[in-house]
Amino acid sequence: MATCIWLRSCGARRLGSTFPGCRLRPRAGGLVPASGPAPGPAQLRCYAGGLAGLSAALLRTDSFVGGRWLPAAATFPVQDPASGAALGMVADCGVREARAAVRAAYEAFCCWREVSAKERSSLLRKWYNLMIQNKDDLARIITAESGKPLKEAHGEILYSAFFLEWFSEEARRVYGDIIYTPAKDRRALVLKQPIGVAAVITPWNFPSAMITRKVGAALAAGCTVVVKPAEDTPFSALALAEVNQGFLLDLDPLLLASQAGIPSGVYNVIPCSRKNAKEVGEAICTDPLVSKISFTGSTTTGKILLHHAANSVKRVSMELGGLAPFIVFDSANVDQAVAGAMASKFRNTGQTCVCSNQFLVQRGIHDAFVKAFAEAMKKNLRVGNGFEEGTTQGPLINEKAVEKVEKQVNDAVSKGATVVTGGKRHQLGKNFFEPTLLCNVTQDMLCTHEETFGPLAPVIKFNTEEEAIAIANAADVGLAGYFYSQDPAQIWRVAEQLEVGMVGVNEGLISSVECPFGGVKQSGLGREGSKYGIDEYLELKYVCYGGL
């Protein structure tokens, strides 16, 4: 009943009005107009074999605004990075569509903010359940549009869903404070309230997880969102909208307004091409109805968005570039260090923001580590199409990414580095590069001070702990860092001295929904995930209650 009241009081459009002028009847997977089947998604062209057999409902190509699938005046192609084949033509939204999405989110906010924490928790939990039910299809979409090996894509979908599960629980743990003041007739209260509409701009390397990590927190707090996914991977964001909408539609139509899922306008998705990305990003980040910007991507783009945010003093959280050091001290267990290096460097073919970018190995253990690392790479890494069983290294996202890795390798070799294994493009195609290990690397080489985002592992030999710390901290970014040591005193010293937001000690995989994700220096602002993540979407209000 309460839900019906707030929907009416805010003047929100009833969920049933998403299908104007028609009566709804149930069908498998949702509802369709009684007069016939619902209009399907825009025609998809040349889907790769990996997407064959997927439900057409998950392969959406239009924008999702105000609870409706809306086409744009133009479309842009999305390609399979492994084969270059066109996956489909997606709505190419512009400034007009972006502003419409912001308005829809703003109109929904007045209602969504009043939904009880328990109700928001329940709805996010339903979204989590539906992601788990559809995990195989969602994983195949990730592999098709990003090239990520299917096993890793399955892992990402679980990771994505876990953020919804986590924040469904955190929604009920937003607490305020009561402060006793010196005045006996007063009490001070501190309230936490949702900040408003959040503009969410996400990258292509984790096209599902980077959305749920932000959106889960935002919706749990009572905010509404406009998501602009990366132009290379829009299908995952649109599929999440469809899954989201799935629990809007799996109920009796008479109960849609009061018992269904997340209301129209709370979650909006506006895909756009690389050509339109700059103006769309500027439109949503400068819109006065937007109160919060959350961005994951390059430091360069982050600085541009910070400039946009400054004009209207918007709240900002950003997870930007990194240059993660991976330090191996003489006391380290070599086998353990190599296993950590493999996990940290070659996940998603080296295309993660927390991938180890430079390997600093102490002189006494250097040769043994390099030999074991090379052997592990040759034994365990298999380059191939992400849909092929056994593939551990898929393609890079596009040829520009390959050119960057190639440039760094050539630069290093020209300055004296030695190729231990790999070192060139792979014969499979233009977007594939061989997993590469370099030794005799020096600090004047590009690969030591430029984020690679590819399967390149450069090894620098060092002598002392102080030298390693100095090299690691010389970067103007500080997202993640890793080191291996069996010396307890050294572990404490190094963990505290590394200028990064996250440290892996004898561990190469550090991401977890329960732990705060974020960096220092030019690697960003704020934290995502964990109990701290929801605070990014809340603001404090002090209330002085007098006359007691």
Side-chain angles (χ1 to χ4, degrees):
M1 180 64 70
T3 309
C4 289
I5 292 172
W6 63 251
L7 279 170
R8 286 196 296 268
S9 66
C10 290
R13 181 173 61 248
R14 284 184 174 269
L15 301 181
S17 67
T18 305
F19 306 89
C22 71
R23 188 166 47 86
L24 300 176
R25 59 178 172 81
R27 64 163 169 81
L31 298 167
V32 295
S35 58
Q43 183 179 5
L44 303 176
R45 305 175 186 176
C46 303
Y47 265 95
L51 292 183
L54 278 185
S55 166
L58 283 178
L59 302 176
R60 291 289 186 171
T61 59
D62 292 334
S63 65
F64 186 69
V65 175
R68 304 185 69 179
W69 295 103
L70 302 175
T75 59
F76 68 99
V78 178
Q79 296 179 325
D80 170 9
S83 66
L87 296 174
M89 303 297 292
V90 176
D92 192 3
C93 295
V95 171
R96 182 175 63 85
E97 289 86 357
R99 289 175 177 161
V102 170
R103 285 195 300 274
Y106 184 76
E107 290 170 2
F109 174 63
C110 79
C111 303
W112 181 245
R113 67 183 301 175
E114 300 300 329
V115 176
S116 72
K118 183 176 181 180
E119 286 181 89
R120 292 199 299 266
S121 172
S122 175
L123 295 174
L124 284 169
R125 181 72 192 199
K126 289 180 182 178
W127 197 2
Y128 159 79
N129 289 336
L130 282 161
M131 282 197 70
I132 296 300
Q133 292 171 22
N134 291 276
K135 64 182 186 298
D136 291 340
D137 284 350
L138 293 172
R140 289 167 65 190
I141 292 173
I142 288 177
T143 295
E145 63 182 355
S146 75
K148 182 176 295 188
L150 187 58
K151 184 177 180 179
E152 287 192 27
H154 276 109
E156 180 181 344
I157 290 301
L158 291 177
Y159 185 50
S160 305
F162 291 157
F163 279 114
L164 297 180
E165 179 187 43
W166 173 262
F167 284 114
S168 75
E169 296 161 351
E170 288 300 292
R172 302 182 68 175
R173 301 190 184 111
V174 176
Y175 305 128
D177 285 299
I178 297 176
I179 302 171
Y180 286 88
T181 68
K184 294 182 178 179
D185 62 344
R186 298 178 188 172
R187 295 293 183 270
L189 292 79
V190 179
L191 309 180
K192 289 185 177 181
Q193 297 181 313
I195 194 167
V197 177
V200 172
I201 303 176
T202 57
W204 50 263
N205 58 336
F206 286 90
S208 180
M210 294 304 94
I211 292 175
T212 59
R213 190 162 75 185
K214 299 172 188 293
V215 172
L219 269 58
C223 297
T224 57
V225 298
V226 176
V227 177
K228 193 206 83 64
E231 56 272 13
D232 292 302
T233 56
F235 285 117
S236 290
L238 295 169
L240 285 177
E242 178 61 33
V243 172
N244 178 329
Q245 195 184 38
F247 63 78
L248 287 174
L249 301 180
D250 281 340
L251 301 167
D252 187 292
L254 295 177
L255 301 178
L256 280 176
S258 60
Q259 297 182 31
I262 295 171
S264 301
V266 171
Y267 177 77
N268 306 276
V269 183
I270 47 169
C272 71
S273 65
R274 186 170 282 105
K275 177 174 65 95
N276 284 350
K278 181 178 179 180
E279 65 178 23
V280 168
E282 181 175 357
I284 60 176
C285 289
T286 58
D287 196 303
L289 299 182
V290 170
S291 300
K292 159 79 179 183
I293 299 170
S294 180
F295 170 70
T296 295
S298 72
T299 299
T300 300
T301 301
K303 291 177 179 179
I304 294 172
L305 299 182
L306 278 171
H307 176 76
H308 293 328
N311 290 330
S312 52
V313 196
K314 299 184 191 301
R315 279 274 294 277
V316 175
S317 57
M318 294 193 170
E319 188 261 286
L320 307 176
L323 201 68
F326 189 104
I327 307 172
V328 184
F329 291 103
D330 281 344
S331 66
N333 178 302
V334 172
D335 292 338
Q336 189 181 48
V338 167
M342 292 287 290
S344 172
K345 175 70 253 185
F346 295 108
R347 185 165 58 112
N348 197 20
T349 319
Q351 299 174 112
T352 84
C353 53
V354 293
C355 272
S356 298
N357 207 82
Q358 53 182 336
F359 291 80
L360 312 176
V361 185
Q362 199 159 13
R363 180 175 296 275
I365 203 172
H366 174 274
D367 292 351
F369 175 82
V370 170
K371 179 182 178 181
F373 196 8
E375 290 173 351
M377 289 172 61
K378 293 173 183 177
K379 179 181 178 181
N380 299 307
L381 300 182
R382 179 176 180 268
V383 180
N385 188 298
F387 285 110
E388 294 175 358
E389 187 174 353
T391 292
T392 65
Q393 302 291 284
L396 298 187
I397 191 64
N398 52 43
E399 193 169 13
K400 185 178 179 181
V402 174
E403 291 170 354
K404 183 177 184 181
V405 179
E406 191 171 47
K407 179 182 177 181
Q408 289 190 3
V409 171
N410 293 339
D411 170 79
V413 171
S414 72
K415 295 175 180 175
T418 301
V419 176
V420 180
T421 185
K424 62 184 185 297
R425 298 191 185 213
H426 197 280
Q427 61 184 4
L428 277 179
K430 66 179 183 178
N431 290 346
F432 291 88
F433 200 90
E434 295 178 347
T436 299
L437 177 61
L438 302 179
C439 65
N440 299 322
V441 173
T442 54
Q443 295 176 63
D444 61 334
M445 299 174 184
L446 280 177
C447 58
T448 66
H449 55 82
E450 183 181 87
E451 189 174 26
T452 302
F453 242 63
L456 169 60
V459 178
I460 299 174
K461 186 186 297 183
F462 72 89
N463 293 308
T464 67
E465 177 184 313
E466 293 75 18
E467 181 186 358
I469 295 296
I471 294 172
N473 289 345
D476 58 5
V477 293
L479 187 57
Y482 310 85
F483 69 92
Y484 280 71
S485 170
Q486 299 298 317
D487 181 340
Q490 184 179 61
I491 287 173
W492 279 112
R493 288 195 306 271
V494 176
E496 292 179 349
Q497 291 176 28
L498 282 177
E499 296 174 357
V500 296
M502 300 173 286
V503 180
V505 182
N506 297 325
E507 179 56 61
L509 295 175
I510 58 176
S511 299
S512 172
V513 299
E514 297 85 1
C515 301
F517 193 103
V520 300
K521 299 195 278 193
Q522 294 188 36
S523 281
L525 302 166
R527 293 296 182 269
E528 294 185 332
S530 78
K531 68 177 183 179
Y532 305 103
I534 198 169
D535 289 339
E536 300 291 336
Y537 299 89
L538 295 166
E539 54 189 0
L540 300 181
K541 177 182 286 184
Y542 157 51
V543 177
C544 182
Y545 188 176
L548 299 178

